[in-house]
Structure formats: structure tokens, C-alpha cells
Amino acid sequence: MAGRTLKSSIALLLFFFVFIFFISSVSSWKKDEFRNCNQTPFCKRARSRKANSCSLIAVDVSIFDGDLAAKLVPRDPVHDDRRGGPEDNQSDQTLDPEKHQDEQPEQRDDTALEEVSAKPLILTLSSYQGGLLRLKIDEDPSLDPPKKRFEVPDVIESDFSSTKLWLQRLSEELIDGDSVPSSVVYLSDGYEAVLRHDPFEVFVREKKGGKRVISVNSHGLFDFEQLRVKKDGEKWEESFRGHTDSRPYGPQSISFDVSFYGADFVYGIPEHATGLALKPTRGPGIDFSEPYRLFNLDVFEYISESPFGLYGSIPFMISHGKEHGTSGFFWLNAAEMQIDVLGHGWDAGESKISLPSNQKRIDTLWMSEAGVLDAFFFMGPGPKDVIKQYAKVTGLPAMPQLFATAYHQCRWNYRDEEDVEQVDLKFDEHDIPYDVLWLDIEHTDGKKYFTWDRVLFPHPEEMQKKLASKGRHMVTIVDPHIKRDDSYFVHNEATNKGYYVKDATGKDYDGWCWPGSSSYLDMLSPEVRAWWAEKFSYENYAGSTPSLYIWNDMNEPSVFNGPEVTMPRDALHVGGVEHRELHNVYGLYFHMGTAGGLLKRGEGKDRPFVLSRAFFPGSQRYGAVWTGDNTAEWEHLRVSVPMVLTMGLTGISFAGADVGGFFGNPEPELLVRWYQLGAYYPFFRGHAHHDTKRREPWLFGERNTELMRDAIRTRYMLLPYFYTLFREANLTGVPVMRPLWMEFPGDEAAFSNDEAFMVGNNLLVQGIYTERAKHASVYLPGGESWYDLRSGTAYMGGTTHKLEVSEESIPAFQRAGTIIPRKDRYRRSSSQMTNDPYTLETPAVFDCFTKTVNWWKGQSSVRDFPIGISRLHYELEFEICNFKLNYEFQHSVLYCCIEVSFPVFMGYAVNVIALNSSRSAEGELYVDDGKSFEFLHGAYIHRRFVFSNGKLTSFNMAPTADAGTLFSSDCVIERIILLGHSPGPKSALIEPGNKKTDVELGPLRFHRSRGPSILTIRKPNVRIETTARISGIMPLHKIVDSVKCHILINFSEIDLQKTTPELPCVLSMTAFQPNKSVLSYGNSLYTSSRFPAPNPPVEILLFGMKCGQRTERNVGANFLLLAFCDVELKYAQVVVLKT
């Protein structure tokens, strides 16, 4: 007993020192703890190669089994220069000897290299429906390589193979003056694949016109290190910071260049804390010296704007540009990868391959330590096309439960059951909704997962049931490290069954993590994953209930005492697969196994919710992901947007960042701004490190509590819209949170904008990323109007607006022509909103324009200035901006005379809804039971709302289903808000039933006492599942085709400055009454000097007035002249006359 006690004490002491070392060494990111490219031999070798160093040519080309097949052999095996120059033999000798004394140069046997280089590689090209091309290159298995290279299983969708298009024939064509013809096969959708024989190259081009889209090896950088038997005296080991990798199969890396044609930017390849558009990492004048690394690692307090790899890896890159549109390239490989984005001129004087001179392109270099080349080309041509094509390969995002799309409250750690109860009660006390409360590792018995600390959490089932009574849920953490404790049933079973990953000697791998000595389950094995799934049963996970869900952290995997804080590369998995070959996919397998456990627990009826930190292609099928251990800094708030956007582009739609930052103590302003932004993340969770101060929303004073409550309520108000978007993602792969260019692919100003984003295609959100900000520059893309979500004010699209911002909110806008469903009653949780009525928000649509017209000062000089519709909400506002008066005068009279031609609606008073040429707005609503899989059998409601010609119609989009599986809801539409519409009829007609309902002014936000009044259809009470029509919203009695109108504005007694001011002339068309002027003066945000408002008031008149004439005319209440989207601007003149 004493010996056992001493042994335990020594082990505990050892763990303490390791733990303290780990915490002190990784509490902030230190780059020297992780390898850079120069310390990674395969990366260093690949980067050392010059353009055109590949000597492979394609031979024996034929159609075989529906694929194009070929062999790649050296043009001259004896003098094969694919291995680069003398840099290879230097290996790590160039490293700092003080930091890397244990690193040895890699030795090579040139004879062995020549022997293996003569072995052919096998190439296949396969075509799939939807414009997909698959390229595979591997060693020839008939030549008996030392082992089979690892090909990643379980990632490609099981039914993807059924979409294969069997190639029937190939044609030959001379490319760019080659002496040897190339092989050409037609793919689909107007694309061809070309296999160039000598020099070896693969590219896809448009059949019509021949423009290239994507190419591989256009610069001759392809290299494939074939496996070989180690010869006596060879040294293959690699060392880094005291860790030695035995590398029993030697160098086995693959590298090649990929070019994207017609591209302005490239995106993707997460996870990095960088901007959305990937910056060049190599080339003339490039500051970055490191490639983008893809190697899943546990990184504390990562730094922004670094190409260093973080917790997840998706080797999928998307290009986008004005010339071609969008294309994508995906390499299915789970080994460490490094990717260079090559700057313009990187290959100056090197490349000998003739490339099309009339197509701009972006070149990239892809490098991986092991595996095979299994790559997919996606031709687009639109952004959503590429996303959908990628989803066909790797799968669609899982449909989450409704509660999971709401707000989550987390901390490392809530101390005990009393703490949990108090936090829950405080949310209710402060009227803040939330759906999920999370428990971190401290809730367990000694860091043993599937257990509870029975002192701190003596009644876990009762605790969960109390939350469930309010419609709330709990999430607990389950990590992949299993405590090596003989009293722990999971460890004993895993040991006895041989389910752990092995070290290089074949013993169970023993590493250190939170529990101390730990082993790691071999999740590559389907048998182990099935066994793991059983652990989530109520019997095995004692104290769990149906309202408990799971969080997978540390699943990169994180190993505190391992090389680079992870598992050694020579560790062994089932089938003899080295960890180096599958490292990046380990987290996916753990995520997969956990989701399978919850699925089994619920007997296949309950949708799992599992959050994972590590991810890989296919992770979207199993749950949510977050951006890891961020910091409470403004820069981390900013970089969270491109990080989440990039995840969405690469398949992971259900993603978010820790609101407030995991590390550090945010100032109240930062925390408020983070809540305001985080309310629009797909995954919305507040989380904090245990060393931080408590930061629940009510701890920062009444005003800050109000602001955070309002942000969280905004999310709950928009839950119907978010849930509809999650269903869209589940059906198509198109993400919930999108970059601007996804919705506006032709708008070049949107291509690199990563501070604003779209939520679906209806909302645009601009974050505030600096403290004490008073203004924000917001670019609103497209030619349509945008409506401020809080005020209803309309702004012109296609321009940047400098807006005043307040502490109350961040800028968010609804796109004109869209309909957003929402719920305006605030409850404790989303499930308590189930039967609440809906509100539809419908803005008018104006295709804003900008024309050039003339102006002059005095009677002689003529210059140009822009004019356009800039704002529409109860008023139509022309803005004549930024013209300069270059001479001195005072007490002048300024006249603006504008002649326009536009359609005129004639009706009563102000009963007109102004729409664009399509005269419509559209939106969707998706509803199901929010938890089960019955929606897969047709048990859901999916409605499409169309507003056109004064009528709002609801259409059914759900397929016909058996009566027994249909989903029904008693929810009704309670309000219809008409943004941008002037007051008109007093009632609207609901069909069927011929029921009338009131139309009146009402609040934009239901529970807000202050704010604008918006035209609202009250209580139509139409059931959401019913096909209905609401008409009479804009009764039109007569339409006059076109009327020419002169608008005269007289700004009297404006005291102009003697300097050169910029004076905008603003016309506002407002709602009016008889004997009142139709137009009134408005102020502009763009003036460089302040001017007094006109006094006396502006005199204006409409209709037939000649320029310069000052007349006032009464307009009757039965007539309204309204300019809208298809205004044809004839001319505008500004005349400055001295008085």
C-alpha cells in the first residue's frame, strides 16, 4: 500500500511539473514551439525547387473503366532532376544551431532515388455530374511498394460514386506548339479536361473559347517521393525540440503547383487567423515568408494575420474574379500540408512552359508530407455553384436542432450545481433568453469523462431536468484523452480491447493531458467508433438525460508533452497507418464517433448536437465548430469574421467564435460589441477561461446589461430566419454566413471586404472593431436599397456610407426586395417560442442609380457631379453631393432644377408602394419540429412569400407527403411590416375568407417604445401552413406611362464659406397633405462645413415648372407623384446667382 501511495505521489508530482511547464509555455503563443517551413524537411525541399523542375511525361494514355488512365514516367530517368538542388542535402543545417542542436541533416542515397524515380506513377482522371473532375496519382501497386499509401476513408459522400460520368473516348490536340499531342476529354456543362503529355500537365478549360479554369503542374513543380526500402547507413530520422520522428518509410511527400485563371483573389484553406482573401506568401516584395500551414494543433492565444495553422484543416481553395467567376480545388489528404500563394512575378525567368498570356491567374504551391494525390476540380462558375459542387463530394451540413441555433452560455467552469442554478435564475431575472448552459472539465470525477464530481454535482439528472423544464439544455465536455486509471471503466475496456493508438514500438501510446497520463482512442477504426458510441447511453453515462449534449475539445489531438503539443507522427493506428498520414482527420473521426453515440442514444430519432474544435472536410455532417482559444482583443473580434466566413466557404456552416474572447478580460465596450456581432454568427456562444473574471451579461452595469440583452434578443427575434438558412445549408451546402461577393459576385468592391458579411441573402452586417467608434464606413453592394434594421432608414446600394454609430447596435441592413420571417415575443428559450406568431418584414425595392449631370456657377462654367437615390423611407431623397464653389460670395441664392421622367401612379393620397421593375419582394420560412429526423420524411412546412402588385402571397414549397408524416403548426402571421412604403389604405383583404385586417403605422421592433413608426398590416392571423393571399396593400386606380417633371429647389440665404466648401443639394420627397409643399430640405452627412438650415423654408414646386421659376403650387390629396427605381434622369442643373 505504501509503495502504491509513493508511486501515486511521484506520478502526481510528475504531472504537476509537466502541467506547470505546459501552462507556462503555451499560455501565450510562441512560434519557436512549432515548426516553420525551414524546419520541416518536406516543405523546405518543395520550396527549393525551381519552376520546370518536373521531368515527368504522360505515357500509355487510354480510356479504362470510364476514366482517362495514364502512367507518369521520367523523360530521362538517369538524369531526373525532380529532387531539386543541393539545398536538399543541407536539410536543417541552415537552422539556428542554438535552438535546434538535435536536428540532423537528412541523408539520401542518390542510387536509390534513381531506382525509385524510374517507377511509373499511375494517373486517373474521372468526370462527375455537375462539372466535377477528379485527379488521382499514386504509386503503382503492381510494383510492390513497401506499404500502401493512406487514402482517407469516410470523407467522400457514399453516393458520390453514383454521379460518375463514364468517359467514352478521348481526342488528341497539339497544345501551344507541343511536339507531342495532348489528350482531351469532354467533361460536362461545357468543360473539357486536358492531359498534356510532355511536359506533364492537367488543366480544365471551357470548351467554347478554350479559356483555362484550373491547372495542375503548369509550372513544372510536381514532385512525388515514392516509398522505398531503407538502405544500410541511411538516416531518415527527424528531430525537433527533443522529439525524434523515426520516419520508418522515409521521405514520402507530394508537391505540385495549382493555377486559378481569371482570379482576382483566392480564399479558403482554413484554419488561420487571417483575412478572408489569402495574401501572397512568396514572391517579389512579399513580407510573409511562411506558407499557410494545415496541421491541426492546440494553440493557446493564437495571433492574428499569421499563416500558422490552428485547430482544423480543410485543403479546399476557392478562387473568384471578375473575368471567370468562381472555381475551386480540393485535395483530399490528411497529412500535414503547407500551401504557398505565389505573388506576381514569383517565377520570373524560371518557367519554360508557355502559358496563355491573355488570362490573368493566381498561382499556388501545395505541399504535403504523405498520402496520395486525390484532388477535385470545381468549375463553378458561380460562388454557390462551387459550394454545392464541394458539398456533393464531402457532404451537406447536418440540420441542427432549433435550440442549438440560439444562444449558449459557457465558462470554464461553472463551479457546482448551485452556481448553475444561480446563473440560470439570473438570466430569467434580467429577462435575457438563453438555451444552453455548458460544463467544462471540472464537472467530472478527476477528469474522467462520462463521470460527475459527486461532491460538486451530486444530482446531475435533477439539475438537467430543472433546465429542461424551461426548455433549456446542458452540454458537457468529452475529450479524446482517456485517463490511465485502473479504476476507470473506459480505460480498462479500451486497454483490454486494444483500442488505443500505439506508439512506434507497438505499445499503447501514453501522453499527457488534463487528466495526467492519458491514452488516445484509435478512432480511425470503425470498431472503436462503434464501441465509443455505446458510452453515451444513459446506462454508461450515468447522470445524463435526453437534454444533455456533447462538446469535443482537444481533439487535434492535444498532447501536452508531445511534439508541437500533439501526437508523434510515427504513432500507429489500425492497419499500420502512421499518425503522420491521418493527423488532420483524427478530430473528424472523434466528432463522428461522438455524434454517432448521441444518435444511438436517441434511437435514431433525435438530432445530435456535438461541438468540435478540430475539423476536416466532412465535419459539417456531424455538428458545429468554433474558432478555438481566442483572446479578448479588438483584433480578435475583427478576425473572427473572416475566420467564420472561411469555414462557411469550405463547408462548415455551423461555426462561430467565443463571444468576449476565451482569454483575457474584455472591457465592457468590447464585450458589448462582441455580443452585437456574435448575435449574427451561425453558432452563438459566450465562453471564458477559468482565470478570467466572471462575465455574465448582468455583471457590467445596467446599461451594458441592456445592450447585451438587446443583442441576444435580436438573435432570438431572427431565429425563424436563421433556422430557414440552416435548412438551406442542409439542402445545398450554401453557408448561413456569407462573404459579400457570394451574393454580389460581380461587385469588385466586395471581393476583399471581410469586415462586413451577409446572413443569408437578406441581411448585411458590419461589425464595429475599434473602441469608442463614432462613425463606420459601410459598403452596401448592388444597385438596390438597404434598410437599417433598427430605424428602417433606406440607403443607396453600390456605395460606401459613412454612418454615425452608437453604443446601441452595430450597422445591420435588410436588402430591398426580401422578406424576413421573425418572432417578436421574447421568451426564456427558443422552445418556449414554438407557438408564437410570426412577423414578416418586407421592404420596398429601389434599384438605386447614379447618373452624371451638369452644373455650373454663374452663367458660364460647366462641370459634372453625381446624383442618385440615396435614401427611401417615408421619403425619396435625391442627393446632389460634393460639388465645389470656388469663388467667394455671401447671401447667395442656390437653385437646383432637375428634369426627370418616371411612371406615375394615380390613386388616393399616399397609397402607393414603390417597387423596382420586377415589382416584387420574396422570402422563405422553414419550420419543423426542431429536433427529430421526421423532416427527412416530409414532416415540415416550407413557405415562399412573394409580394407583388400590392399582394402578398404564400406558396407551398414542401413536397407532398403521406398524411401520417405531415407536420402541422397552429402558428400564424401576426404582423407584416412594409419597410419603405408610405401610409395608404386602412385595411387589407385576406384570401381565402375575404377577411379584412387593419393597415396602420406600428413599431419596427415590437417591444421598443422609441423608434420609427412603420406601415404595418396588423393581425392578418394567417396560419403559416396555409396558402393565402393578402391584397389591397397598394390599390392602383390608373397608371400614367410617363410624365416629365421639373423640380425646382430654392435654398435661400445660405451663408457659404469663403473657403472651398463641399455643398450637397438634397431633395426629399415626403408624405404630404393638401396645401403643403411636397419637397423639403434635408441635411447631408457628407458636408465638410456646417451650413444653417434654410430660413425661410425651402420653396419647391413640382409639375411643369420651368427652371428658375419660383412658384408654389398646391397638390390635392387625391394625387401623388412618386419617383422610383426606373427613373430616367434627363438633366439636372445647379445655378448659382448673386443676390
Side-chain angles (χ1 to χ4, degrees), residues 365-425:
L365 175 62
W366 298 60
M367 306 161 275
S368 181
E369 183 181 12
V372 301
L373 200 168
D374 188 2
F376 298 80
F377 299 64
F378 306 112
M379 273 61 82
K384 294 180 183 178
D385 298 321
V386 170
I387 300 300
K388 293 174 182 178
Q389 291 159 2
Y390 174 75
K392 288 181 179 179
V393 177
T394 64
L396 292 162
M399 184 65 191
Q401 292 200 38
L402 178 61
F403 83 82
T405 68
Y407 176 63
H408 302 243
Q409 180 66 35
C410 184
R411 179 175 179 80
W412 178 20
N413 199 84
Y414 287 117
R415 297 182 299 270
D416 50 30
E417 288 181 2
E418 182 181 359
D419 197 8
V420 168
E421 182 176 18
Q422 286 302 309
V423 170
D424 179 65
L425 291 174

Side-chain angles (χ1 to χ4, degrees), residues 785 787 815-817 842-846 872 913-915 978-981:
S785 300
Y787 290 83
R815 186 179 181 179
T842 311
V845 182
F846 288 79
L872 181 61
I913 297 178
L915 301 171
L978 304 170
L979 279 175
H981 302 287

Side-chain angles (χ1 to χ4, degrees), residues 15-254:
F15 169 67
F16 173 78
F17 284 119
V18 171
F19 179 79
I20 293 300
F21 170 78
F22 172 74
I23 293 299
S24 63
S25 62
V26 299
S27 59
S28 60
W29 188 75
K30 299 178 181 178
K31 66 178 182 179
D32 61 349
E33 294 176 352
F34 302 96
R35 302 204 302 184
N36 59 36
C37 180
N38 202 44
Q39 296 163 323
T40 308
F42 81 86
C43 182
K44 183 181 178 183
R45 289 195 301 275
R47 268 190 153 191
S48 71
R49 296 188 186 97
K50 305 299 183 182
N52 200 39
S53 62
C54 175
S55 66
L56 296 178
I57 61 174
V59 298
D60 298 341
V61 182
S62 64
I63 298 294
F64 177 76
D65 200 24
D67 299 326
L68 185 153
K71 292 182 178 180
L72 299 179
V73 299
R75 185 184 299 108
D76 183 358
V78 177
H79 299 96
D80 182 13
D81 61 352
R82 292 179 302 133
R83 300 292 163 179
E87 296 92 340
D88 288 343
N89 285 324
Q90 295 174 8
S91 188
D92 295 334
Q93 291 295 296
T94 58
L95 303 180
D96 186 339
E98 293 183 2
K99 289 187 177 181
H100 307 287
Q101 296 176 5
D102 55 350
E103 298 178 16
Q104 301 297 325
E106 181 179 341
Q107 299 179 2
R108 67 178 203 175
D109 186 318
D110 290 336
T111 302
L113 287 175
E114 290 177 5
E115 290 175 359
V116 76
S117 66
K119 295 181 179 179
L121 297 170
I122 304 301
L123 176 149
T124 58
L125 286 175
S126 307
S127 176
Y128 295 84
Q129 295 173 8
L132 278 71
L133 176 69
R134 185 178 189 178
L135 167 65
K136 292 191 72 174
I137 300 178
D138 195 359
E139 299 190 37
D140 188 343
S142 67
L143 299 180
D144 194 26
K147 64 173 288 187
K148 185 182 185 307
R149 285 180 173 254
F150 181 66
E151 297 184 49
V152 185
D154 306 307
V155 169
I156 297 178
E157 275 284 80
S158 57
D159 61 351
F160 176 69
S161 60
S162 65
T163 66
K164 179 179 174 178
L165 300 175
W166 287 64
L167 301 177
Q168 302 298 321
R169 62 186 180 85
L170 58 83
S171 59
E172 292 189 341
E173 178 184 334
L174 283 174
I175 303 291
D176 297 333
D178 288 347
S179 59
V180 179
S182 299
S183 299
V184 181
V185 292
Y186 179 75
L187 301 176
S188 65
D189 299 338
Y191 295 100
E192 295 176 322
V194 178
L195 172 61
R196 203 171 179 186
H197 296 191
D198 186 5
F200 156 61
E201 181 189 12
V202 174
F203 63 88
V204 176
R205 68 185 183 189
E206 298 173 357
K207 181 174 176 59
K208 184 178 180 180
K211 284 190 174 182
R212 293 185 177 210
V213 181
I214 309 174
S215 68
V216 168
N217 203 38
S218 296
H219 297 279
L221 293 174
F222 179 85
D223 186 78
F224 195 113
E225 296 179 324
Q226 297 195 44
L227 297 170
R228 57 191 176 87
V229 177
K230 186 176 183 180
K231 303 240 176 177
D232 292 340
E234 283 191 280
K235 185 175 179 57
W236 283 353
E237 293 81 2
E238 291 179 1
S239 296
F240 178 75
R241 293 182 64 87
H243 298 278
T244 299
D245 175 7
S246 62
R247 289 210 306 169
Y249 297 98
Q252 50 184 298
S253 69
I254 304 171

Side-chain angles (χ1 to χ4, degrees), residues 298-315:
D298 179 3
V299 185
F300 274 42
E301 295 186 85
Y302 52 81
I303 60 173
S304 61
E305 293 307 321
S306 168
F308 184 80
L310 299 178
Y311 310 95
S313 299
I314 299 183

Side-chain angles (χ1 to χ4, degrees), residues 706-751:
E706 179 185 356
L707 294 172
M708 286 183 271
R709 175 172 54 237
D710 186 67
I712 295 172
R713 283 180 170 180
T714 296
R715 174 52 166 254
Y716 278 79
M717 179 185 72
L718 293 172
L719 277 181
Y721 179 59
F722 271 90
Y723 198 66
T724 300
L725 293 176
F726 275 106
R727 177 57 169 161
E728 181 185 357
N730 174 248
L731 289 170
T732 66
V734 176
V736 172
M737 183 171 159
R738 308 166 186 176
L740 301 188
W741 56 263
M742 179 172 284
E743 293 299 328
F744 301 91
D747 192 335
E748 293 179 84
F751 290 178

Side-chain angles (χ1 to χ4, degrees), residues 197 207-208 221 299 403 414 494 520 529 537 556 585 589-590 597 672 738 755 777 803 930 932 960 1008 1067 1095:
H197 296 191
K207 181 174 176 59
K208 184 178 180 180
L221 293 174
V299 185
F403 83 82
Y414 287 117
Y520 295 75
R529 293 199 300 270
S537 69
E556 293 75 28
V585 79
Y589 287 132
F590 195 73
V672 167
R738 308 166 186 176
E755 293 193 347
S777 293
L803 304 178
S932 78
T960 303
R1008 186 165 289 145
L1067 318 183
N1095 187 16

Side-chain angles (χ1 to χ4, degrees), residues 536-612:
F536 294 91
S537 69
Y538 301 122
E539 179 183 0
N540 286 322
Y541 194 173
S544 64
T545 70
S547 63
L548 181 73
Y549 295 89
I550 302 300
W551 168 21
N552 289 161
D553 198 356
M554 316 293 285
N555 54 333
E556 293 75 28
S558 175
V559 183
F560 292 169
N561 63 338
E564 300 191 274
V565 201
T566 192
M567 190 175 290
R569 298 170 191 244
D570 55 3
L572 296 173
H573 295 259
V574 63
V577 177
E578 287 188 285
H579 186 73
R580 81 180 73 254
E581 301 175 276
L582 61 77
H583 172 83
N584 286 341
V585 79
Y586 183 87
L588 166 63
Y589 287 132
F590 195 73
H591 199 182
M592 183 191 304
T594 302
L598 294 184
L599 190 64
K600 186 172 184 178
R601 182 191 74 175
E603 299 179 343
K605 299 176 182 178
D606 187 61
R607 295 178 222 164
F609 172 75
V610 183
L611 178 74
S612 174

